[in-house]
Amino acid sequence: RYMNMDYFFFSTVQHSDEVSVLNVSYDIACQWSKHLWDRMSTYPSRLHFERDRKTMTFLIPKFHLPAHIAACQISFSHNLIKGMGRTDGEAPERGWANINPVATSTREMGPGARRDTLDDHFGYYNWKKVTNYGISLLSKIKTAIPEREQHQCDFDEFNRALTEERPSEVAQWKEVVENWESDHSSKNPFEIRTVSMTLAAVRLKLSQQEAEDLENGLNNSLHMDISPGVLISSGMDLEEQQYRLQQDLAALSTHPTDLQTTKLQEHSNALLRKIEQWCNIQLLYMPAVGRLRAVEIANVQSLREEKAHEVKLWFPSKVKETTEPCEESLCAYEWELRRAQAHEALDELRRQLRLRTHLYKFKDTHIRGQRANTRASAVLNKVEQTIKTAVARYRRAWSAVKTLSMVLGKPNWEIELPELRPADVRGMTEGEAGQSEGTHTLSWIWKTHGVAGVGEDSKAVLSEGLRIEWCKSWAHANRWAEEVDLLQEEMRHVASFLSWHAGWWEEQANRRTALAAPEQEGIEGYAKRQAALRRAMRDRFQQMWSVVPALLQSTSPAIAVS
C-alpha cells in the first residue's frame, strides 16, 4: 500500500548518517507511520538504517491537518511540536502550484521534451528561491519578532491570572507539557479527556432512548413524524429563530430600503408558518396549552396581528409556572435539552470572549488610521453581538432549568450552571469593575467543569477547555520564539552555503585539463563568474540582514515591524 513512499523515504534516509533528529512531514503521516519499522524489515537490507540512533517526529502539513480527526490534530501538529517554529510543511505543494501553468504546454510534448521542460522550470523556480533568500528571510524575521513579543506577553498575562487563582494546577500543567515535549508517548496535554454536553449529543441520546422504547413495545408518540423529544428540540430551534429575527428588526435602520424590509417580512412570514405548524402538533402532547393561549388572546387589549418573534411557545417549563398540568416526561426531555443548550452557550461565550480580547490587543498594537479603525470597530461590533446572543441563549436555558429543577426534584444544579450576571461576562484577564490588577478574580465562566468527570474532584480543577487553552498559549509563545531562533540559524546557513558554493565553482575551473586554450579559458571564466555571483549574493544578503541585531534588541512590536 505504501511501497512507493516507503522506498522514497528509506532511500533518502540512507544519506543522513550525520543527522540525529528528523522531522518527517507527510499528508497522511498518521497512517503511514504506523508499522513503518515492521515494513522496513520486509525490504532489502540496503534500505535499512539504525533508527535507534535517530529521533524521529512525524507531522502532518498545516493545510492538510484540519481534514484529519481531532486525535491527529493534537498529535501531528506543527504548532504543538517542540522545535518546529512556524514551519508549515507545505513547501512541496508550493513547487507544484508554481508548475501548474506549464501543464497546458507539456501535455502536448513527448516524454523526453516534457521532462526537460519540467526540469528547466523547477530549476528556475529553485534559482528564484535562492536569490530571494535575503528578502524572504528578512521579511519573516520582521514578522516573527513582534509576534514573539506579543504571544509571550499574552501568555505571561494569561499565566499570571491563572497562577493567582490555581497555582498548583498551573504547575501541574507545565510539568505535563514539558514531559510530553520530551517524550510523545506520555500523556498528551492537548487531549480532551472530559465529555462536553452538546445539543446534538443529547438529541442522539433521546432518539436512541425512543428507539429502545419502541423495541420494548412502548410508543409515547402521538404523531407519526414528531416524537416528544423532537417536539421540544424543534421548539427550541424556533425560539432561537425568534430571537435572531428580533435582533434583525432591532438592527434595522430608521429608513430601511424596500429590499431590507422585504427580506425581513419574508423571514417573519416563513417563521410564523413554522410556529403555527409546531403549535398544532404541540396541542397533541400538551392540551393545556390551548387554554393558556385562549386566555392570552382574551387578555390582548389591541387587535393588532401578533408578530412571529412575539409568539409565546409555551414550553413545559413555562406551563409549570402556571396552574395547568404538563406531562413529567416532557419536562424531563426539556431538562436534558436545556442543560445541553446552556453548556453550548457557555462554550460559544468563552470562544467569543477570547476572540474579543485578541482583537482588542491586535487593534491597539497594529491598527492605525481612521479607515482601518472603522473596519476593526465593525468586526468588534459583530463579536459583541455574538456575545450578547450567547448570553441571551444561556439565560433562557438557565431560566428553564431553574423551573424544571423544582418540578423534577433536581437539587444542586446551580453548581453546574450558576446564574450569569452582567459582571460575569468578561475575559480571562479582566477583573470586575473596581478591582485592581493585584485583586482581580477569574469569572466563574472560565471555571466550569465538564459534564463527565474523569475521577477528579470537580471543585478542585479548572475546566478542560481552560487547561487546553493554557497549553496552547504556552505552545504558541514557544513556537514563535523558536521561529526567531530558526530564522537566525537559517541566515547563517544561507551565508555558509553561498561561501561553500563559491569555492565549489572555483574548484570546477581546473577540473578539465585536456581542452584547447580558448575552451579552457571560457570554462574558467564561467566558473569564476558563478563563484563571484555567489559571493555577491552572500555579501548583499548579509548587508540586508545587518538590521536584525537591532530588531532583536527592540521589545516594541511597532519598532520591530518598521
Side-chain angles (χ1 to χ4, degrees):
R1 184 179 179 183
Y2 302 114
M3 185 180 297
N4 292 337
M5 187 62 190
D6 289 346
Y7 179 80
F8 169 76
F9 175 71
F10 293 137
S11 299
T12 303
V13 176
Q14 299 303 310
H15 307 285
S16 62
D17 292 338
E18 298 179 358
V19 179
S20 59
V21 178
L22 280 176
N23 296 316
V24 184
S25 180
Y26 181 36
D27 297 354
I28 54 170
C30 51
Q31 291 295 323
W32 172 72
S33 60
K34 293 179 179 178
H35 311 298
L36 178 63
W37 312 124
D38 294 336
R39 296 200 303 273
M40 184 177 72
S41 63
T42 64
Y43 293 118
S45 58
R46 61 185 178 84
L47 295 177
H48 297 183
F49 65 93
E50 297 183 22
R51 62 185 181 93
D52 294 336
R53 298 172 55 186
K54 298 182 185 296
T55 301
M56 286 199 177
T57 303
F58 296 97
L59 307 108
I60 297 173
K62 289 184 179 179
F63 178 78
H64 295 79
L65 188 60
H68 289 250
I69 61 175
C72 295
Q73 295 182 22
I74 62 173
S75 300
F76 298 90
S77 172
H78 287 75
N79 291 326
L80 307 180
I81 304 295
K82 182 179 181 180
M84 294 308 301
R86 293 291 300 165
T87 305
D88 59 21
E90 298 289 355
E93 300 290 345
R94 296 188 182 96
W96 288 114
N98 176 75
I99 211 70
N100 281 341
V102 187
T104 53
S105 299
T106 58
R107 68 187 176 190
E108 303 295 337
M109 299 178 182
R114 183 174 183 272
R115 289 169 187 165
D116 289 342
T117 302
L118 291 176
D119 282 344
D120 290 341
H121 280 276
F122 274 116
Y124 178 63
Y125 174 79
N126 290 335
W127 174 248
K128 282 198 307 180
K129 189 163 65 173
V130 171
T131 56
N132 197 48
Y133 270 142
I135 297 173
S136 63
L137 292 179
L138 181 61
S139 174
K140 288 179 180 179
I141 203 166
K142 281 185 174 181
T143 300
I145 292 173
E147 289 287 352
R148 178 191 65 176
E149 301 297 331
Q150 184 65 57
H151 280 80
Q152 187 61 51
C153 179
D154 291 345
F155 172 74
D156 291 341
E157 185 178 356
F158 185 22
N159 183 60
R160 184 168 54 252
L162 290 181
T163 302
E164 292 174 357
E165 286 277 337
R166 304 281 181 170
S168 59
E169 279 79 11
V170 172
Q172 182 182 4
W173 298 342
K174 182 179 180 182
E175 181 181 359
V176 172
V177 170
E178 291 175 341
N179 290 340
W180 182 76
E181 288 181 341
S182 59
D183 180 12
H184 288 252
S185 63
S186 58
K187 184 166 64 174
N188 192 322
F190 303 97
E191 181 182 1
I192 298 176
R193 292 189 290 272
T194 61
V195 180
S196 59
M197 180 179 284
T198 64
L199 273 171
V202 171
R203 285 172 176 169
L204 175 61
K205 176 184 173 183
L206 294 178
S207 63
Q208 290 173 339
Q209 181 180 338
E210 289 174 0
E212 185 177 345
D213 291 341
L214 288 173
E215 290 178 358
N216 295 329
L218 299 176
N219 186 2
N220 297 322
S221 297
L222 301 177
H223 190 274
M224 291 293 294
D225 300 318
I226 307 298
S227 65
V230 173
L231 176 74
I232 303 300
S233 62
S234 59
M236 289 169 59
D237 291 338
L238 293 174
E239 182 185 52
E240 185 67 24
Q241 293 179 45
Q242 283 183 311
Y243 178 81
R244 293 189 180 277
L245 176 60
Q246 185 179 5
Q247 294 300 109
D248 291 342
L249 290 170
L252 203 62
S253 63
T254 309
H255 303 286
T257 64
D258 290 343
L259 181 61
Q260 291 173 328
T261 305
T262 300
K263 286 185 175 180
L264 280 178
Q265 188 61 56
E266 290 175 349
H267 184 194
S268 178
N269 294 343
L271 180 57
L272 190 58
R273 286 192 291 269
K274 291 179 182 178
I275 291 174
E276 288 176 353
Q277 293 175 1
W278 183 83
C279 289
N280 291 334
I281 299 173
Q282 183 189 30
L283 292 175
L284 295 174
Y285 294 95
M286 304 168 62
V289 171
R291 292 190 294 273
L292 292 171
R293 291 194 192 281
V295 173
E296 187 179 21
I297 294 173
N299 292 334
V300 173
Q301 299 296 323
S302 173
L303 296 178
R304 70 178 181 84
E305 183 183 355
E306 191 174 25
K307 303 296 183 182
H309 62 278
E310 296 174 346
V311 177
K312 199 168 184 178
L313 298 180
W314 290 107
F315 288 99
S317 56
K318 290 297 182 183
V319 174
K320 283 296 184 180
E321 293 177 359
T322 68
T323 57
E324 295 291 342
C326 182
E327 283 284 339
E328 191 168 311
S329 60
L330 293 174
C331 295
Y333 281 128
E334 187 182 4
W335 165 267
E336 295 292 341
L337 290 166
R338 290 294 187 181
R339 284 179 62 219
Q341 185 185 39
H343 282 283
E344 275 196 356
L346 278 180
D347 288 340
E348 179 66 15
L349 177 59
R350 285 189 288 260
R351 189 160 46 246
Q352 294 301 322
L353 286 173
R354 286 194 296 268
L355 177 59
R356 185 182 69 177
T357 300
H358 170 75
L359 289 175
Y360 272 123
K361 289 181 179 179
F362 183 86
K363 181 175 180 290
D364 293 341
T365 304
H366 300 289
I367 301 299
R368 299 291 182 272
Q370 182 177 355
R371 182 179 180 183
N373 271 287
T374 301
R375 290 185 175 181
S377 298
V379 174
L380 282 166
N381 288 337
K382 290 182 180 179
V383 174
E384 290 287 355
Q385 187 58 47
T386 308
I387 290 173
K388 291 179 181 177
T389 301
V391 169
R393 187 183 302 124
Y394 179 84
R395 286 175 176 162
R396 289 197 304 270
W398 185 88
S399 177
V401 168
K402 180 181 179 181
T403 302
L404 294 170
S405 65
M406 294 182 288
V407 175
L408 301 173
K410 303 281 188 180
N412 303 324
W413 62 274
E414 286 187 318
I415 297 175
E416 178 188 338
L417 299 172
E419 183 179 5
L420 184 62
R421 300 176 295 114
D424 297 325
V425 184
R426 62 181 192 271
M428 292 181 187
T429 57
E430 300 173 20
E432 291 192 50
Q435 289 183 332
S436 64
E437 177 67 24
T439 61
H440 82 260
T441 56
L442 202 63
S443 173
W444 69 262
I445 64 176
W446 302 104
K447 296 186 283 186
T448 53
H449 314 290
V451 178
V454 289
E456 298 173 304
D457 181 3
S458 62
K459 297 182 181 179
V461 297
L462 291 175
S463 70
E464 191 85 332
L466 187 58
R467 171 180 61 81
I468 292 174
E469 283 302 317
W470 185 93
C471 294
K472 285 184 177 179
S473 181
W474 159 284
H476 294 164
N478 287 338
R479 295 302 84 78
W480 279 109
E482 292 165 0
E483 177 73 358
V484 174
D485 295 337
L486 288 173
L487 287 170
Q488 294 178 78
E489 183 64 16
E490 188 71 14
M491 290 175 178
R492 188 189 68 80
H493 271 273
V494 169
S496 298
F497 167 76
L498 291 173
S499 296
W500 169 84
H501 209 194
W504 182 86
W505 271 110
E506 288 179 337
E507 291 175 1
Q508 309 310 306
N510 300 314
R511 287 190 62 183
R512 301 178 66 180
T513 56
L515 295 174
E519 293 176 354
Q520 183 67 34
E521 183 180 357
I523 289 176
E524 289 181 3
Y526 181 81
K528 290 180 179 179
R529 180 175 180 273
Q530 294 299 320
L533 280 173
R534 269 66 179 180
R535 290 196 175 97
M537 276 196 294
R538 178 200 61 193
D539 296 340
R540 183 164 60 90
F541 291 170
Q542 289 179 330
Q543 182 181 9
M544 294 173 65
W545 299 336
S546 62
V547 300
V548 172
L551 295 175
L552 291 170
Q553 292 177 1
S554 172
T555 57
S556 170
I559 296 175
V561 171
S562 62

